[in-house]
Amino acid sequence: ITTKDYNSLKPENPRNPLDPRPLYNIATNTAGQPGSTFKPITVLAAIEQGLDPYQELYTAGVVELGKQLYRCWYYRAPYHGIHGSINAMTALEVSCNYFMFDIVRGYDYYRNRDLDFEMNTEILLDYARKFGLGEGSGLEIYENIAGLPSQDVKKRTQMNGLRWFLDGVLDEYFDPERIADEDEKDLIIDEITRWVDEYLAGTLTRNETIRRLMALNPVTDYDQTSLLADYIYYSYFKQIPWREGDDLNLSIGQGDHRYTVAQMVRYVAAVANGGYLHDLTLVKEVDGESKLSPATEPIDMVDTANLEYIREGMRLVAHGSRGSSKVVFRNFDIEVGAKTGTAQAAGRIPPEDELGYIRQIFPDVLKQANSGIRETSENYLALTQQELEDETTRILEERNSELAALMNAFNELEDGDEKDALSSKIQTKAQGTFLNQGFIMREVLLDLSGDRITNEMIDSYRQEYDPFTWFISFAPYDEPEIAVVVLIPQGGSGGYAAPIVRDIYATYFGLFDHEEMLME
């Protein structure tokens, strides 16, 4: 391939981690939430625990836990619908969240009473483990193995989020010159994140969090520092303990699930073949000698015959009267078992050019900060584009001088630990955002506005990520030969992958030739 052609395959926005990249293997490297494609595991675990697959539960659309609402997709706008009384197979066909909420807790939320079988998240995740989720698929190449959800995973996720949050806001509460020193900034962040263990032990209160922040010598007063404490305490620490809502999210493939396409195809193949979890491999034979080593014993289950109910539910997805993919497979020559999934992708897409983005949104974010304030008021934020540009240029020149001074100091040192440490510091500054004009302009905008403009306001003009599209499947339904899983980052609805899967099956089974497929 020529350099020109190779470069044409690179993402237009290199800062967007979800843009497709050459030589990046999504099937093994991307571990993401499976969304509703996880629901067959939830239903299977409940049936194994004693759920009658033909028992109908009334699904009322939304479960309310305190002030938090857990909705079925069909209940959300614009539908505002409910699936009503349905059994396990229909629940898979229509992908009902409410049914999963009931069975993961062994509790009928509509009638407010226990169901007649024991079920919890520990049991659910045990079945995920039985079907190979959270572990390597067996492939002979690198695979991103994130493991299964747990209290430790949730804690780690929250702490990573807290570190990211603090990295963006500390200069609003502490001396910017102090925070400009990356080592000092890391020390403050490390100190704050260490408090989480005391919170989990029940010894850290909100007031103690405020007191400790004040002891770190912020430049803000008590009231302003209290706001930071509340973010830390309520938005991060308080979200770590496991709650009932975590059970509900995990039952529908949300939360801290992170699985690769390879893991998902291995799981669906085991559902299709009667419960045999084969390792995946890229090597069929060497010099005519088979290197395949299929599993000889089925997965340890109460009864592998219970998989038939899961397969039937998946058949209904593609061929049932209410299935989400019935239109795509309506006239298809073979029966398919399938499940669609739509997993939300949190966050917003980073702009390709941070500097150009800040310049573009500056008038809008300034207008937002001054909303409801008269121009003659002393509270009116009178900040101009030229002031923003001038201060950005000043800080960039100042940082270039600082880096030059560090380089001079480095050149004067003898080889040793001190020189190695300084080299690492110089590299961090040179390769990070320290000299990036766009990020400097962001810092300047935050600083010159006081507390009036925030990172959240600046980022609110970015485009949101579309959901991930998942589709898991096997065919033919009666005598499965092949399992196909498709993942489309930012693909929107799970049903959008169905035509891709249909064409893969059509090619594999010779239902039309390649030229006809391309013409269609």
Side-chain angles (χ1 to χ4, degrees), residues 262-289:
Q263 291 168 31
M264 294 295 287
V265 80
R266 187 178 180 225
Y267 130 58
V268 73
V271 170
N273 68 28
Y276 289 85
L277 187 65
H278 303 306
D279 280 347
L280 304 188
T281 179
L282 296 172
V283 182
K284 184 178 181 180
E285 60 182 37
V286 175
D287 293 332
E289 181 182 349

Short mmCIF file of all heavy atoms in Angstrom, two decimals, residues 262-289:
data_model
loop_
_atom_site.label_atom_id
_atom_site.label_comp_id
_atom_site.label_asym_id
_atom_site.label_seq_id
_atom_site.Cartn_x
_atom_site.Cartn_y
_atom_site.Cartn_z
N ALA A 262 -14.94 -10.76 20.09
CA ALA A 262 -14.50 -12.16 20.15
C ALA A 262 -15.15 -12.89 21.33
O ALA A 262 -15.60 -14.04 21.20
CB ALA A 262 -12.97 -12.22 20.27
N GLN A 263 -15.22 -12.25 22.48
CA GLN A 263 -15.87 -12.87 23.64
C GLN A 263 -17.36 -13.07 23.39
O GLN A 263 -17.94 -14.10 23.77
CB GLN A 263 -15.66 -12.01 24.88
CG GLN A 263 -14.23 -11.98 25.38
CD GLN A 263 -14.00 -10.90 26.43
OE1 GLN A 263 -14.89 -10.56 27.18
NE2 GLN A 263 -12.79 -10.36 26.44
N MET A 264 -18.00 -12.09 22.74
CA MET A 264 -19.43 -12.17 22.50
C MET A 264 -19.77 -13.28 21.50
O MET A 264 -20.77 -13.99 21.65
CB MET A 264 -19.94 -10.82 21.99
CG MET A 264 -19.86 -9.70 23.00
SD MET A 264 -20.93 -9.95 24.44
CE MET A 264 -22.55 -9.64 23.71
N VAL A 265 -18.95 -13.46 20.46
CA VAL A 265 -19.25 -14.50 19.48
C VAL A 265 -19.01 -15.88 20.08
O VAL A 265 -19.70 -16.86 19.74
CB VAL A 265 -18.44 -14.30 18.18
CG1 VAL A 265 -17.01 -14.80 18.31
CG2 VAL A 265 -19.12 -14.96 17.00
N ARG A 266 -18.07 -15.97 21.00
CA ARG A 266 -17.83 -17.25 21.69
C ARG A 266 -19.03 -17.61 22.56
O ARG A 266 -19.47 -18.76 22.61
CB ARG A 266 -16.56 -17.11 22.53
CG ARG A 266 -16.08 -18.40 23.18
CD ARG A 266 -14.79 -18.13 23.93
NE ARG A 266 -14.26 -19.32 24.58
CZ ARG A 266 -13.81 -19.37 25.82
NH1 ARG A 266 -13.85 -18.26 26.57
NH2 ARG A 266 -13.34 -20.47 26.34
N TYR A 267 -19.58 -16.60 23.23
CA TYR A 267 -20.75 -16.83 24.09
C TYR A 267 -21.97 -17.24 23.28
O TYR A 267 -22.68 -18.20 23.63
CB TYR A 267 -20.98 -15.58 24.96
CG TYR A 267 -22.36 -14.98 25.02
CD1 TYR A 267 -23.47 -15.70 25.45
CD2 TYR A 267 -22.55 -13.63 24.68
CE1 TYR A 267 -24.74 -15.11 25.52
CE2 TYR A 267 -23.80 -13.03 24.76
CZ TYR A 267 -24.89 -13.79 25.17
OH TYR A 267 -26.13 -13.20 25.25
N VAL A 268 -22.24 -16.54 22.17
CA VAL A 268 -23.44 -16.86 21.40
C VAL A 268 -23.29 -18.22 20.71
O VAL A 268 -24.27 -18.96 20.53
CB VAL A 268 -23.77 -15.75 20.39
CG1 VAL A 268 -22.82 -15.73 19.21
CG2 VAL A 268 -25.20 -15.88 19.89
N ALA A 269 -22.06 -18.59 20.35
CA ALA A 269 -21.83 -19.91 19.78
C ALA A 269 -22.16 -21.01 20.79
O ALA A 269 -22.73 -22.05 20.44
CB ALA A 269 -20.39 -20.03 19.29
N ALA A 270 -21.81 -20.77 22.05
CA ALA A 270 -22.11 -21.74 23.11
C ALA A 270 -23.61 -21.87 23.34
O ALA A 270 -24.12 -22.96 23.62
CB ALA A 270 -21.40 -21.36 24.39
N VAL A 271 -24.34 -20.76 23.21
CA VAL A 271 -25.80 -20.81 23.31
C VAL A 271 -26.36 -21.65 22.16
O VAL A 271 -27.25 -22.48 22.35
CB VAL A 271 -26.40 -19.39 23.27
CG1 VAL A 271 -27.92 -19.45 23.11
CG2 VAL A 271 -26.03 -18.62 24.53
N ALA A 272 -25.80 -21.46 20.97
CA ALA A 272 -26.33 -22.13 19.77
C ALA A 272 -26.02 -23.62 19.75
O ALA A 272 -26.83 -24.42 19.28
CB ALA A 272 -25.77 -21.46 18.52
N ASN A 273 -24.84 -24.00 20.26
CA ASN A 273 -24.40 -25.39 20.10
C ASN A 273 -24.79 -26.31 21.25
O ASN A 273 -24.35 -27.47 21.30
CB ASN A 273 -22.89 -25.46 19.83
CG ASN A 273 -22.06 -25.04 21.04
OD1 ASN A 273 -22.46 -25.17 22.19
ND2 ASN A 273 -20.85 -24.52 20.78
N GLY A 274 -25.57 -25.80 22.18
CA GLY A 274 -26.02 -26.64 23.28
C GLY A 274 -25.18 -26.54 24.53
O GLY A 274 -25.30 -27.37 25.44
N GLY A 275 -24.32 -25.50 24.60
CA GLY A 275 -23.60 -25.26 25.85
C GLY A 275 -22.14 -25.65 25.86
O GLY A 275 -21.55 -25.80 26.94
N TYR A 276 -21.51 -25.78 24.70
CA TYR A 276 -20.08 -26.10 24.63
C TYR A 276 -19.29 -24.82 24.36
O TYR A 276 -19.46 -24.19 23.31
CB TYR A 276 -19.81 -27.13 23.54
CG TYR A 276 -20.32 -28.51 23.89
CD1 TYR A 276 -21.65 -28.85 23.64
CD2 TYR A 276 -19.49 -29.46 24.50
CE1 TYR A 276 -22.14 -30.11 23.97
CE2 TYR A 276 -19.97 -30.71 24.83
CZ TYR A 276 -21.30 -31.03 24.57
OH TYR A 276 -21.78 -32.28 24.91
N LEU A 277 -18.43 -24.44 25.30
CA LEU A 277 -17.67 -23.19 25.19
C LEU A 277 -16.31 -23.48 24.55
O LEU A 277 -15.35 -23.82 25.22
CB LEU A 277 -17.49 -22.56 26.58
CG LEU A 277 -16.87 -21.16 26.59
CD1 LEU A 277 -17.77 -20.14 25.91
CD2 LEU A 277 -16.59 -20.72 28.03
N HIS A 278 -16.27 -23.40 23.23
CA HIS A 278 -15.02 -23.66 22.50
C HIS A 278 -14.12 -22.45 22.54
O HIS A 278 -14.59 -21.30 22.46
CB HIS A 278 -15.32 -23.99 21.04
CG HIS A 278 -16.25 -25.15 20.85
ND1 HIS A 278 -16.02 -26.39 21.41
CD2 HIS A 278 -17.41 -25.26 20.14
CE1 HIS A 278 -16.99 -27.23 21.06
NE2 HIS A 278 -17.85 -26.56 20.30
N ASP A 279 -12.81 -22.66 22.63
CA ASP A 279 -11.86 -21.57 22.47
C ASP A 279 -11.82 -21.18 20.99
O ASP A 279 -11.87 -22.03 20.10
CB ASP A 279 -10.46 -22.00 22.90
CG ASP A 279 -10.28 -21.96 24.41
OD1 ASP A 279 -11.15 -21.38 25.08
OD2 ASP A 279 -9.29 -22.53 24.90
N LEU A 280 -11.73 -19.89 20.74
CA LEU A 280 -11.55 -19.42 19.37
C LEU A 280 -10.09 -19.62 18.96
O LEU A 280 -9.19 -19.64 19.79
CB LEU A 280 -11.92 -17.94 19.25
CG LEU A 280 -13.32 -17.53 19.71
CD1 LEU A 280 -13.58 -16.08 19.33
CD2 LEU A 280 -14.39 -18.43 19.12
N THR A 281 -9.88 -19.76 17.67
CA THR A 281 -8.52 -19.92 17.16
C THR A 281 -8.41 -19.38 15.75
O THR A 281 -9.40 -19.35 15.01
CB THR A 281 -8.09 -21.41 17.18
OG1 THR A 281 -6.76 -21.52 16.65
CG2 THR A 281 -9.03 -22.26 16.33
N LEU A 282 -7.23 -18.93 15.39
CA LEU A 282 -6.95 -18.48 14.03
C LEU A 282 -6.24 -19.58 13.23
O LEU A 282 -6.00 -19.42 12.04
CB LEU A 282 -6.07 -17.23 14.06
CG LEU A 282 -6.71 -15.99 14.70
CD1 LEU A 282 -5.68 -14.87 14.86
CD2 LEU A 282 -7.88 -15.51 13.88
N VAL A 283 -5.88 -20.68 13.89
CA VAL A 283 -5.12 -21.74 13.25
C VAL A 283 -5.98 -23.00 13.15
O VAL A 283 -6.31 -23.62 14.16
CB VAL A 283 -3.83 -22.06 14.05
CG1 VAL A 283 -3.02 -23.13 13.33
CG2 VAL A 283 -3.00 -20.80 14.24
N LYS A 284 -6.35 -23.37 11.93
CA LYS A 284 -7.15 -24.58 11.72
C LYS A 284 -6.28 -25.83 11.68
O LYS A 284 -6.58 -26.84 12.31
CB LYS A 284 -7.96 -24.45 10.44
CG LYS A 284 -8.90 -25.63 10.19
CD LYS A 284 -9.71 -25.41 8.91
CE LYS A 284 -10.67 -26.57 8.69
NZ LYS A 284 -11.48 -26.38 7.46
N GLU A 285 -5.20 -25.75 10.90
CA GLU A 285 -4.30 -26.90 10.79
C GLU A 285 -2.91 -26.43 10.41
O GLU A 285 -2.73 -25.34 9.87
CB GLU A 285 -4.81 -27.91 9.77
CG GLU A 285 -4.95 -27.37 8.36
CD GLU A 285 -5.50 -28.39 7.39
OE1 GLU A 285 -6.38 -29.19 7.79
OE2 GLU A 285 -5.05 -28.38 6.22
N VAL A 286 -1.92 -27.27 10.69
CA VAL A 286 -0.53 -27.01 10.32
C VAL A 286 -0.01 -28.26 9.61
O VAL A 286 -0.05 -29.36 10.18
CB VAL A 286 0.34 -26.69 11.55
CG1 VAL A 286 1.80 -26.54 11.15
CG2 VAL A 286 -0.15 -25.43 12.24
N ASP A 287 0.42 -28.09 8.37
CA ASP A 287 0.90 -29.22 7.57
C ASP A 287 -0.11 -30.36 7.53
O ASP A 287 0.24 -31.54 7.66
CB ASP A 287 2.25 -29.73 8.11
CG ASP A 287 3.36 -28.71 7.92
OD1 ASP A 287 3.26 -27.89 6.97
OD2 ASP A 287 4.32 -28.72 8.71
N GLY A 288 -1.38 -29.97 7.40
CA GLY A 288 -2.43 -30.98 7.29
C GLY A 288 -2.90 -31.57 8.61
O GLY A 288 -3.86 -32.33 8.65
N GLU A 289 -2.23 -31.18 9.72
CA GLU A 289 -2.61 -31.70 11.03
C GLU A 289 -3.51 -30.70 11.76
O GLU A 289 -3.14 -29.55 11.93
CB GLU A 289 -1.36 -31.98 11.88
CG GLU A 289 -1.68 -32.55 13.25
CD GLU A 289 -0.43 -32.78 14.09
OE1 GLU A 289 0.69 -32.70 13.51
OE2 GLU A 289 -0.56 -33.01 15.30
#
